[in-house]
């Protein structure tokens, strides 16, 4: 594992901690964006602002090759109150960098700084600092706002710190790495009545209970056993009184999958169960689906290239190629729908003591800063080599 070859690493760690102390939520990353833009300008990059409101793009050109690649970091924090007590803990109650996007931003800034000082490549690198990864799909908004028309990159690359993978290791896999996500809402409408006289009504609670049980068969009985999906009911809302059978029950939950056809099969199976169980009970059931992030799918050639880069940086034994994909979601998926590319997991160390993503005790591990910079810089030099 390389030691830090970067003289500015302490300054960068201080910047990372400053970002951690001042987290900003989706599309409100104005302070963060100001810092990112100021730094990029200071390193000599051309800076573009305004994509997806708070997005920042830095452009670094070397040599005369027309080739262009994109590197992306996310900048937003989570609506969560931090429970850490170290000096750089969040100064904003209800806002926290609990996913390490402060570290992603710092690592990409470090790569920009290093490559600007030693532009040992031929082509253009587009440094994409995007807002609103957590739930609002900032990547999709940047694309709608013309990211890839303005910066027609041939491929795009992303990185996430990963607690549970040791520092000095990286997971790089081709194909699906993060799931697509879809919310669902099901309203079961019966006929409310006195709890002591159930024969006078249609019991929405009993109907909903049957439905929750039946939903457990959607994945197990409808999908190929080697296809992955999750259907989880996460909310049940009904009733206010001890002695009233309520008129209706509201169920909500989430579906995770890696393929459009699997998602489609799951939705049709849910609809079939809803109408069958409604008929069996004399109730009415309406379902609706709220499609959110698509699956994050790495293209084969770019994943292979990133594997080679990671092997150069970390050593072959430290590059994991057969980690299971995560059922979590990631809005870099939108960029990978438009462009080939690869999203990797950089080990953040043990996921212990609450140091897991979205936990109120999480903190980005600053030991990753030089590793991330070296990964990004090596990737650029490999993809955009100087002739001779
Ligand atoms: Ni994240």
């Amino acid at each position: 594992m390389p030691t830090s070859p970067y003289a500015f690493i302490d300054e960068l760690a201080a910047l990372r901690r400053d970002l951690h102390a001042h987290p900003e939520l989706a599309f409100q990353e104005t302070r963060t964006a100001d810092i990112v833009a100021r730094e990029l300008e200071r390193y000599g990059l051309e800076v573009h602002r305004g994509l997806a409101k708070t997005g920042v793009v830095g452009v670094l050109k070397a040599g005369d090759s027309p080739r262009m690649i994109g590197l992306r970091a996310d900048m937003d924090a989570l609506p969560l109150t931090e429970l850490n007590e170290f000096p750089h803990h969040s100064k904003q109650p209800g806002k926290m960098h609990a996913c390490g996007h402060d570290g992603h931003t710092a690592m990409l800034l470090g790569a920009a700084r290093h490559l600007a000082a030693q532009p040992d490549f031929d082509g253009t690198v587009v440094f994409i600092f995007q807002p609103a990864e957590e739930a609002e799909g900032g990547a999709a908004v940047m694309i709608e706002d013309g990211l890839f028309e303005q910066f027609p990159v041939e491929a795009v690359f992303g990185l996430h710190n990963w607690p549970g993978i040791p520092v000095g290791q990286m997971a790089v896999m081709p194909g699906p790495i993060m799931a697509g996500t879809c919310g669902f809402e099901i309203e079961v409408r019966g006929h409310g009545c006195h709890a002591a006289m159930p024969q006078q009504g249609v019991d929405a609670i009993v109907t909903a209970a049957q439905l929750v049980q039946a939903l457990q068969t959607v994945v197990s009985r409808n999908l190929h056993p080697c296809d992955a999906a999750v259907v989880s009911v996460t909310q049940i809302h009904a009733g206010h009184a001890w002695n009233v059978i309520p008129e209706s029950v509201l169920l909500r939950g989430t579906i995770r999958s890696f393929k459009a056809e699997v998602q489609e099969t799951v939705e049709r199976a849910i609809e079939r169960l809803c109408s069958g169980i409604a008929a069996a009970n004399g109730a009415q059931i309406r379902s609706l689906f709220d499609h959110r992030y698509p699956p994050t799918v790495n293209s084969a050639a770019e994943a292979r290239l990133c594997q080679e880069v990671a092997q150069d940086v970390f050593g072959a034994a430290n590059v994991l190629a057969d980690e299971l994909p995560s059922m979590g979601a990631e809005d870099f998926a939108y960029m990978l729908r438009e462009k080939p590319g690869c999203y990797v997991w950089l080990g953040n160390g043990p996921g212990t003591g609450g140091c897991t993503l979205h936990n109120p005790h999480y903190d980005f591990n600053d030991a990753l800063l030089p590793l991330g910079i070296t990964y990004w810089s090596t990737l650029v030099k490999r993809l955009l080599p100087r002739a001779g």
Side-chain angles (χ1 to χ4, degrees), residues 23-378:
E24 295 172 303
L25 301 182
F27 299 119
Q28 299 167 15
E29 305 92 337
T30 50
R31 180 183 185 277
T32 308
D34 285 348
I35 291 171
V36 167
R38 180 197 74 203
E39 288 296 305
L40 293 173
E41 268 163 19
R42 190 161 77 89
Y43 311 153
L45 275 74
E46 179 189 309
V47 175
H48 301 258
R49 300 190 64 173
L51 286 172
K53 284 188 197 166
T54 46
V56 184
V57 175
V59 178
L60 182 63
K61 194 166 164 38
D64 46 23
S65 164
R67 296 185 58 194
M68 181 184 281
I69 62 165
L71 311 180
R72 168 273 204 178
D74 37 17
M75 301 190 291
D76 59 320
L78 281 158
L80 182 71
T81 294
E82 179 158 7
L83 297 181
N84 289 313
E85 289 174 356
F86 46 58
H88 64 278
H89 71 81
S90 170
K91 306 300 180 279
Q92 304 284 334
K95 298 179 191 176
M96 178 188 174
H97 271 297
C99 202
H101 299 184
D102 48 346
H104 303 163
T105 298
M107 286 189 289
L108 195 57
L109 281 175
R113 183 167 182 172
H114 174 66
L115 287 166
Q118 296 179 34
D120 187 17
F121 63 94
D122 189 9
T124 301
V125 184
V126 179
F127 296 84
I128 303 164
F129 295 86
Q130 74 147 83
E133 190 286 320
E134 287 297 351
E136 309 293 328
V141 181
M142 283 191 98
I143 293 166
E144 280 161 26
D145 284 359
L147 175 67
F148 292 138
E149 282 83 45
Q150 222 175 317
F151 309 100
V153 298
E154 62 190 66
V156 68
F157 298 88
L159 173 163
H160 207 292
N161 79 94
W162 212 254
I165 294 179
V167 174
Q169 295 193 355
M170 177 175 269
V172 191
M173 282 91 72
I177 181 162
M178 306 284 289
T181 175
C182 174
F184 64 85
E185 184 175 279
I186 297 173
E187 190 193 24
V188 178
R189 190 154 278 283
H191 184 75
C193 62
H194 197 299
M197 305 166 197
Q199 77 281 7
Q200 295 179 350
V202 172
D203 192 333
I205 288 195
V206 170
T207 308
Q210 290 172 11
L211 186 59
V212 171
Q213 291 285 10
L215 289 174
Q216 310 313 309
T217 65
V218 168
V219 172
S220 69
R221 302 293 89 178
N222 292 278
L223 300 182
H224 187 292
C226 296
D227 265 330
V230 177
V231 176
S232 289
V233 176
T234 57
Q235 300 180 33
I236 303 180
H237 302 281
H240 299 284
W242 289 85
N243 56 355
V244 175
I245 292 174
E247 183 83 1
S248 65
V249 178
L250 193 65
L251 306 175
R252 293 200 183 99
T254 186
I255 304 166
R256 304 295 167 107
S257 67
F258 292 110
K259 296 178 186 166
E261 61 268 31
V262 167
Q263 177 68 28
E264 183 67 22
T265 301
V266 166
E267 289 180 27
R268 296 297 82 78
I270 290 176
E271 285 171 345
R272 227 172 21 247
L273 288 171
C274 286
S275 69
I277 287 173
N281 288 276
Q284 289 173 326
I285 304 183
R286 138 194 103 70
S287 58
L288 56 91
F289 300 100
D290 177 21
H291 297 108
R292 309 284 297 189
Y293 296 174
T296 302
V297 184
N298 289 335
S299 51
E302 282 67 26
R304 203 158 43 242
L305 184 117
C306 289
Q307 265 162 354
E308 288 167 13
V309 169
Q311 284 167 0
D312 281 359
V313 174
F314 302 104
N318 290 315
V319 180
L320 313 174
D322 53 5
E323 293 288 292
L324 289 174
S326 166
M327 299 312 281
E330 161 63 57
D331 86 343
F332 190 61
Y334 290 108
M335 295 197 184
L336 288 179
R337 272 208 313 205
E338 303 290 319
K339 300 285 177 181
C342 182
Y343 174 86
V344 300
W345 293 336
L346 177 62
N348 193 57
T352 53
C355 196
T356 51
L357 300 178
H358 296 207
N359 183 284
H361 291 285
Y362 170 87
D363 192 28
F364 178 82
N365 185 345
D366 284 329
L368 269 57
L369 292 172
L371 303 179
I373 296 169
T374 304
Y375 170 72
W376 282 135
S377 310
T378 309

